[in-house]
Amino acid sequence: NAGVMQNPRHLVRRRGQEARLRCSPMKGHSHVYWYRQLPEEGLKFMVYLQKENIIDESGMPKERFSAEFPKEGPSILRIQQVVRGDSAAYFCASSPNYVFSTDTQYFGPGTRLTVL
Amino acid sequence: AQTVTQSQPEMSVQEAETVTLSCTYDTSENNYYLFWYKQPPSRQMILVIRQEAYKQQNATENRFSVNFQKAAKSFSLKISDSQLGDTAMYFCAFRPGANTGNQFYFGTGTSLTVIP
């Protein structure tokens, strides 16, 4: 059973460009979470999605950031007009479908975004 | 608000010795989950151990065990017979119980070095 997959692993963008980060949850998981890790810090929650629904986006900046998890395909975290402060590692996690199953999250390897 | 504090930015231990990493948290919840994640240089987040707050028995996974003190809101990780592969960042994480959100709250991490 493949784990959570994220791509690309490394992404370099210039200021003002767009960044698209992809996450495929573990097989059988339909809950996806995105976290951001700034240098020398712990992970900070950004957004929680289920298929076709954003459940909690309280940790996501209101501007330039968006997330989706379509019925088919991976979850996408999109950052428009990137700035240097967006440079960070972005982690995706997933959890299973069954009731009361969301207590454990399984993390992907992360995408390291560098903004020049 | 939920907060997680790891007061030891860096620690080291001799190979085969035992080391304890500290974690405290603050919450008004009665039901919740606690986790330790390991992040090696590859930056992959690996689940080490989890504890349900309603369980009095401390969780154990091979060489890893926790000392969960609910009244003190303390959740330390003990690594026995330390191995070189244990060298990594270790993050303590808190998740509220069901129906109170699904996001994890992470501490700032402890960098552990196992010395040969």
Side-chain angles (χ1 to χ4, degrees):
Chain A
N1 187 8
V4 178
M5 299 177 68
Q6 289 187 250
N7 68 81
R9 292 294 305 276
H10 301 275
L11 181 63
V12 179
R13 286 288 178 265
R14 295 191 180 279
R15 281 179 297 170
Q17 291 184 319
E18 178 181 286
R20 282 188 179 230
L21 289 63
R22 295 175 184 77
C23 169
S24 296
M26 287 179 69
K27 187 177 181 180
H29 291 193
S30 63
H31 303 264
V32 166
Y33 313 80
W34 285 94
Y35 292 82
R36 178 166 63 177
Q37 184 180 30
L38 295 171
E40 311 300 326
E41 294 187 9
L43 280 68
K44 295 286 191 337
F45 170 79
M46 298 181 73
V47 61
Y48 162 42
L49 310 101
Q50 295 180 22
K51 286 282 187 181
E52 301 185 278
N53 285 303
I54 296 175
I55 306 302
D56 180 357
E57 56 182 347
S58 59
M60 196 156 67
K62 294 289 187 290
E63 297 181 355
R64 302 189 297 108
F65 286 73
S66 62
E68 62 176 10
F69 189 16
K71 186 176 180 181
E72 301 292 337
S75 175
I76 306 286
L77 179 67
R78 182 182 176 203
I79 311 172
Q80 295 178 291
Q81 300 176 321
V82 296
V83 301
R84 288 213 174 111
D86 296 332
S87 294
Y90 291 83
F91 287 90
C92 170
S94 72
S95 61
N97 300 337
Y98 48 88
V99 177
F100 303 126
S101 66
T102 56
D103 57 337
T104 300
Q105 297 179 7
Y106 300 88
F107 284 82
T111 293
R112 179 174 291 280
L113 172 65
T114 301
V115 179
L116 302 177
Chain B
Q2 337 284 359
T3 58
V4 178
T5 302
Q6 292 179 251
S7 58
Q8 304 155 314
E10 296 180 355
M11 291 193 72
S12 61
V13 62
Q14 289 291 138
E15 193 175 5
E17 296 294 310
T18 296
V19 64
T20 299
L21 309 183
S22 301
C23 173
T24 58
Y25 57 94
D26 188 22
T27 183
S28 57
E29 304 284 332
N30 189 50
N31 184 31
Y32 48 86
Y33 304 88
L34 294 162
F35 304 82
W36 279 96
Y37 282 88
K38 169 185 176 181
Q39 187 180 47
S42 66
R43 301 193 66 83
Q44 172 81 53
M45 291 288 285
I46 302 166
L47 176 65
V48 175
I49 199 166
R50 64 188 287 266
Q51 173 85 41
E52 293 92 338
Y54 61 86
K55 289 187 177 179
Q56 292 186 345
Q57 186 173 6
N58 289 324
T60 299
E61 288 288 340
N62 301 315
R63 298 183 295 108
F64 299 87
S65 61
V66 299
N67 182 6
F68 174 45
Q69 302 288 330
K70 190 172 184 179
K73 296 181 181 175
S74 171
F75 183 60
S76 61
L77 174 69
K78 185 171 82 170
I79 306 174
S80 304
D81 186 24
S82 298
Q83 300 176 0
L84 296 178
D86 295 334
T87 293
M89 282 290 287
Y90 286 82
F91 291 97
C92 178
F94 168 97
R95 183 207 177 278
N99 303 321
T100 53
N102 287 294
Q103 65 169 286
F104 277 31
Y105 298 85
F106 285 86
T108 52
T110 296
S111 177
L112 176 68
T113 300
V114 179
I115 302 168

